[in-house]
Amino acid sequence: VQLQASGGGLVQAGGSLRLSCVPSESIFSINGMVWYRQAPGKEREWVAAMTSGGVTNYADSVKGRFTVSRDNAKNTVYLQMNTLKPEDTAVYYCNLDIRKQVTGRIRNYWGQGTQVTVSS
């Protein structure tokens, strides 16, 4: 399974973007999901997560500005980013726990990343 992340781009500070992440093929379910980001010269960091039960958690740096969500019917996960700041500039990656078939194992997959650039 490949994960297709999209929605990145160039935005001014204070603006918004919504990232999407969707599997490239039909699957049974998405369980846990995590969004990460990696800025130039920095290590990849965790941004936001949602458990299979819908419990969310956010890094302090994005709390109150970012919202993670999912559409189970579309097998798509989202990261809504509001009030963006220049320090949010990074490549954003989705990481999903996926069960491909109802009787299959849950496996972990990474998306290819989408660039978010916030200008001041």
Side-chain angles (χ1 to χ4, degrees):
V1 178
Q2 293 185 343
L3 302 183
Q4 298 170 337
S6 62
L10 174 63
V11 65
Q12 289 187 334
S16 298
L17 286 173
R18 189 178 77 159
L19 306 184
S20 301
C21 179
V22 58
S24 59
E25 60 187 78
S26 178
I27 62 170
F28 176 71
S29 67
I30 295 173
N31 290 61
M33 60 173 180
V34 184
W35 287 93
Y36 293 85
R37 68 185 180 186
Q38 187 167 18
K42 296 187 177 181
E43 294 186 354
R44 189 171 297 187
E45 64 174 355
W46 165 80
V47 175
M50 178 181 280
T51 68
S52 57
V55 177
T56 59
N57 202 4
Y58 299 92
D60 288 342
S61 59
V62 307
K63 199 170 295 182
R65 301 187 297 120
F66 289 13
T67 303
V68 62
S69 63
R70 61 196 294 166
D71 184 329
N72 290 329
K74 297 181 179 179
N75 278 328
T76 302
V77 302
Y78 303 98
L79 182 66
Q80 177 68 44
M81 306 185 295
N82 298 328
T83 319
L84 283 161
K85 305 175 181 180
E87 51 263 43
D88 294 319
T89 295
V91 177
Y92 284 71
Y93 299 89
C94 55
N95 178 269
L96 306 185
D97 291 327
I98 290 175
R99 190 188 301 274
K100 291 182 65 175
Q101 299 177 353
V102 62
T103 57
R105 295 172 52 189
I106 296 174
R107 296 182 184 272
N108 185 261
Y109 298 89
W110 283 92
Q112 86 280 14
T114 183
Q115 176 70 47
V116 172
T117 303
V118 184
S119 63
S120 58

